[in-house]
Amino acid sequence: MSCLVSLVAQHIQRVTDAGQLVIVNGMDRFIGFFSWDVQHRITWLKISLIVFAVAYETTAIVAMALASLRGMFTERSFTMSFVTLTGAMCIVMWVSLAMFRRDLAATVAFLQQRQNAIHKRQAPRKALLDRVTRYLWVFYLQNIAQVFFWINLLRDCSPLAVFEVSLLDSANVLLYPLAMTLMSLMFIHTIMIVSTLLSGLTLEFYWLGQEFEQVFGECCSIAVTHHPRYWDALERKIGFCVTEHQRLLAQIGTLRNNLKLYLLLNLVADFSLITFAGCQMVMSNEGDQHLYSILAALTACLNMLNFGGLCDLLKIQVSLFVYNQNSQGFGIKTHLFFLKVHAIKFHLYSSQWTDYLRPVSGPLYQRCRRIRSSILIVMTRAEHELRISCGSVYDMSLATCWAVLQFSYSVFTLLLSFFENTPRSQ
């Protein structure tokens, strides 16, 4: 038993050591959109799988349109519509990120290079990076688990059964699980990309804030502040931190623009999944369907709250977060109050830079003025709140996610009253 535990621990450690981006890079080989090198056979396999998933979903939409024209609406057809809608949203969300694949690939490469060249060589940073990597693995496995429930519990709900062709029904025994798996993996790939990039950039700003706070502690070992070596080291370190801050802000700006449509679609998809899962649970008489509905709604809630939490954490690190007094839910106000001290501006304030940048005269005056100006510019920029929006409509945050959950419950109760007053077709 001890050997088995040791073997599992070693395997977990190897997976953790592979880095934060190992899930994204691994899934990209089979179902992603970053690499399209046709000289590799696996790329052709990826193209075949994606084309098959899109073709199957298109056929499913045609099948449900045909069922609608026939006027067929039963509990099973409702579940078929649910499956078709979910599959379509998976593909649409995959495409919404694929449109910006070059920018996203550049951000992934940027984070990969910094983690391998800088952060993994420092024990405290590597420990924090490993914890975030383990969280991403748990989040990934939680989403993967739903795929198996989807295939098993909804095995008799393929929309292609509407055609009532025996040969197609026989082939669909294999085609349906494969298509559902591929569409689920396409969706999971997108949420892992967004979660990894948001958490990675949050760590980058957190570590940059620490560097800002420590810059004067490293330079103040030189007692005489009028000595040129003091100013050489200080100006070099401040210049490096300011440059890194500008690079990270550029990455954030690009990512924010690329995620507008995706985050809006994600909110719509999670809202629809939660609402329809609740309705399906009420309408269905089968225990298996109830189990899937609960798992689907729970997974959608966790995915939505994950994005909201990561966006809030990133805002905290980038700028002075201003809490909306009208927001409610999950004790967000207290949570952010204790976390906002990690913002860049607070790190600079904690460095006590005014003690080290004492007024000087003579040839060092211009150097002191340049350093003070750089610090003031960074602090002023940090006062601007980062806004990660959903289609330029809503801010992506825990408060927004809580509002969507409340609205989902309201719509669910409305649909529930409608179904209770409508006789069911057998």
Side-chain angles (χ1 to χ4, degrees), residues 166-190:
S166 58
L167 181 60
L168 181 60
D169 291 340
S170 300
N172 201 39
V173 174
L174 296 177
L175 298 181
Y176 176 65
L178 178 59
M180 293 299 101
T181 301
L182 291 175
M183 286 185 284
S184 299
L185 291 177
M186 292 172 73
F187 170 70
I188 294 172
H189 183 52
T190 62

Side-chain angles (χ1 to χ4, degrees), residues 36-201:
W36 296 100
D37 190 353
V38 295
Q39 296 181 355
H40 294 87
R41 294 181 180 178
I42 196 170
T43 302
W44 288 104
L45 174 62
K46 176 168 68 173
I47 294 174
S48 302
L49 294 176
I50 293 174
V51 170
F52 167 73
V54 174
Y56 188 95
E57 179 60 24
T58 303
T59 308
I61 294 174
V62 173
M64 294 312 302
L66 179 62
S68 177
L69 292 176
R70 292 179 179 177
M72 300 168 54
F73 186 81
T74 62
E75 291 182 6
R76 188 184 180 196
S77 63
F78 181 83
T79 305
M80 289 179 179
S81 302
F82 177 71
V83 171
T84 304
L85 175 64
T86 307
M89 288 302 299
C90 291
I91 294 176
V92 169
M93 294 176 70
W94 187 90
V95 172
S96 69
L97 278 191
M99 294 188 300
F100 306 103
R101 66 181 188 88
R102 288 187 174 85
D103 291 337
L104 296 173
T107 305
V108 169
F110 170 78
L111 293 176
Q112 186 84 66
Q113 186 273 331
R114 290 182 63 84
Q115 291 178 8
N116 293 335
I118 302 175
H119 307 317
K120 288 186 178 181
R121 298 181 180 182
Q122 303 182 34
R125 295 189 179 186
K126 186 178 184 303
L128 180 57
L129 189 62
D130 289 346
R131 287 198 294 271
V132 174
T133 302
R134 285 192 287 269
Y135 164 77
L136 290 175
W137 270 103
V138 171
F139 182 65
Y140 169 71
L141 295 175
Q142 173 259 157
N143 280 277
I144 286 292
Q146 186 191 6
V147 178
F148 297 100
F149 282 101
W150 189 341
I151 296 172
N152 184 46
L153 301 180
L154 302 179
R155 58 186 177 274
D156 298 326
C157 300
S158 172
L160 270 61
V162 172
F163 292 115
E164 298 179 350
V165 178
S166 58
L167 181 60
L168 181 60
D169 291 340
S170 300
N172 201 39
V173 174
L174 296 177
L175 298 181
Y176 176 65
L178 178 59
M180 293 299 101
T181 301
L182 291 175
M183 286 185 284
S184 299
L185 291 177
M186 292 172 73
F187 170 70
I188 294 172
H189 183 52
T190 62
I191 64 177
M192 292 310 301
I193 290 175
V194 176
S195 299
T196 301
L197 294 182
L198 290 176
S199 59
L201 289 171

Side-chain angles (χ1 to χ4, degrees), residues 283 348 376:
M283 293 179 61
L348 276 171
L376 290 174

Side-chain angles (χ1 to χ4, degrees), residues 180-293:
M180 293 299 101
T181 301
L182 291 175
M183 286 185 284
S184 299
L185 291 177
M186 292 172 73
F187 170 70
I188 294 172
H189 183 52
T190 62
I191 64 177
M192 292 310 301
I193 290 175
V194 176
S195 299
T196 301
L197 294 182
L198 290 176
S199 59
L201 289 171
T202 300
L203 290 176
E204 292 292 337
F205 275 99
Y206 173 72
W207 288 323
L208 178 62
Q210 289 184 331
E211 291 183 5
F212 270 117
E213 186 173 348
Q214 297 168 1
V215 61
F216 295 100
E218 296 176 0
C219 297
C220 69
S221 58
I222 303 175
V224 184
T225 58
H226 286 74
H227 199 286
R229 288 176 56 194
Y230 173 86
W231 295 98
D232 290 340
L234 186 59
E235 192 169 17
R236 184 167 56 251
K237 188 65 176 179
I238 288 292
F240 171 79
C241 291
V242 171
T243 301
E244 291 299 305
H245 187 245
Q246 293 173 344
R247 291 179 62 191
L248 291 177
L249 287 177
Q251 294 289 341
I252 286 292
T254 302
L255 182 65
R256 181 180 57 183
N257 293 330
N258 294 342
L259 294 184
K260 285 182 179 180
L261 177 60
Y262 175 83
L263 291 177
L264 179 61
L265 291 174
N266 184 77
L267 277 184
V268 173
D270 289 335
F271 162 76
S272 303
L273 187 59
I274 294 169
T275 305
F276 279 96
C279 293
Q280 185 188 29
M281 183 173 59
V282 173
M283 293 179 61
S284 176
N285 296 321
E286 301 178 9
D288 288 348
Q289 298 291 349
H290 287 180
L291 178 60
Y292 172 75
S293 299

